[in-house]
Amino acid sequence: MPKQPINVVLNGKPVTLEVEPRTTLLRALREFGVTSVKRGCEEGECGTCTVLLDGKLQKSCMVLAVEAEGRKVVTSEGLLGPDGELHPVQKAFVEEGAIQCGFCTPGMVLAAVDLLNRHPDPTDEQIKEGLSGNLCRCTGYVSIIRAVHKAAAMLKERR
Amino acid sequence: MLAFEMERPASLKEAFEILSRSGPDTAVKAGGTDLLVWMKKNLVHPELIVDLSLIEELKGISFDPSGGLVIGALATVNEVAEHPQVGKFYPALMDAALSHSDFVMRNKATVVGNLCSAVPSGDMIAPCCVYEGVMHLVGPAGRRKVPVMEFITGPRKNVLQKGEIVKSVELPLPKGHSAGCYLKLGRRNALDLAQVGVACVITDGPGEREYRLSFGAVTPRPVRAKVAEDLLRGVVSPDESLLDKVAEAAMACVDPITDVRASREYRISMVGELTKKALRKCLERF
């Protein structure tokens, strides 16, 4: 199957990806070198391939790359500040030990950013619901929930 | 995933043109969260996928008190769950939407797609049955309306003819004061298929109190527990002995399978328990 070019705005920069109809957004991004988007189950279960597509969380293994034509994609790399400093959510994950093997982290961080946009001061239940699509097999989630609370406080201070 | 070709029509007219000249191995896609998984697991091998996701006529949710709720084919499960009128007038649908997969998948999966996939554990089926949903189909030969109960003819089977597309599902507004709920039994709170789902609606309608019950994951085709509903008709607050009889009647109208998630016997027994629990919860919410 011949490849076709698609145009997306990746972390604020317009780029062209060469894809087949069957290429998922996950595979297209990884082939382009965006390795924070992890290939886990590729069945929409694990959430390691989570991205923000036009501001909404999506599992990129469930999106065909051609569906992203003309749309904005944000990955974990896109959360960094202008001088490369970590986003408060990323910082909180590091400080609270919410990262162990790190495989789920990029997706988990994006889900946490989206959650905090919707609920700036979330309850434990809201955090669990917001992160329900992202599996972590290391932490038992306790440190992740702690990190999200910490990030919420950091973001509040910044406002 | 095997290779396929893809078309992305911008209008229904364009979609019908593509579908009229397409071969038998054509799949129509809205969210695609079932289709992509089935393709990956080699259950289906479409040569052509017609992606409906750009068609404006299929987007959105509308509510009209005289008619009801119209959910466009592209409305995602989250869009439905977040719609203010769904929470107010269709609580069983809202419960079911929030029990579906997980928060991220609900940004992609569509309510109509869940009905079209017709997997018996589909969380949208039972609530759409208790709200007496009607599918609006459009095709080259015109339009037709099919109740959800008749739209699904078996596991992964529906009445769609070649070239036909579901435009929306319409849920009439329950008449009079009403309450509803959907209870789902799974092994975990998110990302799980139902072992048993029970949808319940109570309305005070124009006449006497009416009860509606439907089940998920325990019947090959959608079912309403007519005998159980008749036992309850007109009863304002059912006592325990009536609830026991209703539970028996509910268990008699399901026909579950044994699979990796639960045995047939367990599912039948849980239909009885969850029916009672759903009725109690609805009466509490009433």
Side-chain angles (χ1 to χ4, degrees):
Chain A
M1 195 67 59
K3 290 194 173 184
Q4 61 184 94
I6 60 154
N7 299 303
V8 300
V9 178
L10 175 61
N11 295 326
K13 286 194 197 112
V15 300
T16 302
L17 310 172
E18 295 286 330
V19 302
E20 289 181 52
R22 66 170 161 175
T23 311
T24 57
L25 181 59
L26 159 66
R27 293 206 174 207
L29 289 170
R30 288 190 61 84
E31 272 166 33
F32 192 74
V34 186
T35 50
S36 77
V37 185
K38 302 294 180 205
R39 183 151 70 90
C41 70
E42 275 195 301
E43 290 181 5
E45 301 268 351
C46 75
T48 57
C49 67
T50 301
V51 299
L52 285 164
L53 185 59
D54 280 347
K56 286 217 156 160
L57 286 178
Q58 294 289 355
K59 298 190 181 180
S60 61
C61 70
M62 288 286 110
V63 180
L64 293 170
V66 290
E67 290 182 73
E69 169 68 43
R71 300 171 72 182
K72 293 190 187 83
V73 181
V74 173
T75 67
S76 191
E77 290 92 337
L79 298 176
L80 298 179
D83 301 321
E85 71 269 20
L86 293 180
H87 184 279
V89 172
Q90 293 169 320
K91 211 161 166 247
F93 267 62
V94 174
E95 288 172 5
E96 289 300 322
I99 299 173
Q100 286 184 24
C101 86
F103 200 78
C104 75
T105 308
M108 196 69 85
V109 162
L110 286 167
V113 168
D114 176 75
L115 165 78
L116 292 170
N117 278 335
R118 290 179 292 115
H119 303 288
D121 196 11
T123 63
D124 279 6
E125 270 317 301
Q126 285 169 332
I127 294 173
K128 285 178 191 170
E129 170 72 13
L131 304 184
S132 60
N134 298 74
L135 300 182
C136 171
R137 300 289 81 163
C138 301
T139 62
Y141 303 98
V142 176
S143 52
I144 291 177
I145 292 169
R146 210 165 52 219
V148 175
H149 281 303
K150 183 165 195 173
M154 286 159 76
L155 285 164
K156 206 184 274 177
E157 223 166 85
R158 207 168 70 164
R159 268 198 299 270
Chain B
M1 202 152 37
L2 293 175
F4 54 84
E5 288 185 40
M6 186 144 152
E7 294 275 7
R8 306 191 77 208
S11 67
L12 275 177
K13 190 167 166 276
E14 210 182 304
F16 294 140
E17 279 166 21
I18 294 163
L19 289 170
S20 70
R21 58 182 151 82
S22 68
D25 293 323
T26 301
V28 168
K29 162 184 136 11
T33 52
D34 278 329
L35 181 64
L36 258 57
V37 172
W38 294 351
M39 285 168 66
K40 230 195 135 251
K41 290 185 174 170
N42 277 319
L43 297 171
V44 291
H45 307 104
E47 283 175 6
L48 172 70
I49 290 183
V50 181
D51 177 25
L52 305 179
S53 64
L54 298 179
I55 303 179
E56 286 297 324
E57 300 136 278
L58 301 179
K59 289 182 184 169
I61 302 163
S62 65
F63 176 76
D64 166 14
S66 63
L69 188 74
V70 178
I71 302 170
L74 292 173
T76 64
V77 179
N78 267 349
E79 280 167 17
V80 170
E82 286 159 9
H83 195 278
Q85 262 79 31
V86 171
K88 201 168 168 194
F89 298 118
Y90 301 90
L93 180 64
M94 166 112 158
D95 287 352
L98 292 175
S99 80
H100 180 284
S101 62
D102 65 63
F103 180 78
V104 187
M105 291 296 272
R106 296 201 290 266
N107 276 339
K108 189 91 169 94
T110 64
V111 168
V112 168
N114 194 254
L115 299 172
C116 289
S117 291
V119 176
S121 61
D123 286 308
M124 299 300 115
I125 300 172
C128 286
C129 289
V130 288
Y131 288 117
E132 303 185 326
V134 177
M135 308 289 274
H136 290 234
L137 278 52
V138 284
R143 296 161 182 271
R144 60 182 178 131
K145 294 180 183 181
V146 183
V148 174
M149 296 276 294
E150 291 160 30
F151 176 80
I152 297 170
T153 53
R156 300 188 185 191
K157 288 194 174 72
N158 62 45
V159 301
L160 279 176
Q161 302 284 321
K162 183 177 157 16
E164 236 178 356
I165 291 170
V166 180
K167 188 164 184 275
S168 59
V169 60
E170 180 178 5
L171 307 184
L173 183 66
K175 291 198 172 59
H177 186 50
S178 74
C181 77
Y182 178 74
L183 296 182
K184 172 172 172 174
L185 184 67
R187 293 160 301 178
R188 59 200 300 285
N189 288 336
L191 270 172
D192 201 4
L193 300 178
Q195 293 168 323
V196 176
V198 176
C200 177
V201 166
I202 307 179
T203 76
D204 263 350
E208 55 191 352
R209 182 163 288 190
E210 193 190 301
Y211 296 76
R212 301 182 203 152
L213 287 162
S214 183
F215 310 104
V218 285
T219 53
R221 304 167 58 151
V223 70
R224 282 271 297 274
K226 287 288 179 192
V227 176
E229 292 178 3
D230 287 343
L231 282 170
L232 287 160
R233 189 183 310 277
V235 180
V236 175
S237 50
D239 60 19
E240 282 304 309
S241 73
L242 179 58
L243 286 180
D244 285 340
K245 281 188 203 124
V246 167
E248 284 294 325
M251 285 154 72
C253 72
V254 300
D255 184 17
I257 56 164
T258 292
D259 68 7
V260 65
R261 284 185 292 282
S263 69
R264 172 183 166 87
E265 293 71 22
Y266 180 68
R267 285 178 206 253
I268 292 176
S269 157
M270 287 303 109
V271 165
E273 283 308 309
L274 290 180
T275 297
K276 288 195 269 186
K277 211 169 159 184
L279 283 163
R280 286 194 201 102
K281 189 164 183 179
C282 270
L283 288 163
E284 256 170 49
R285 283 182 174 181
F286 202 77

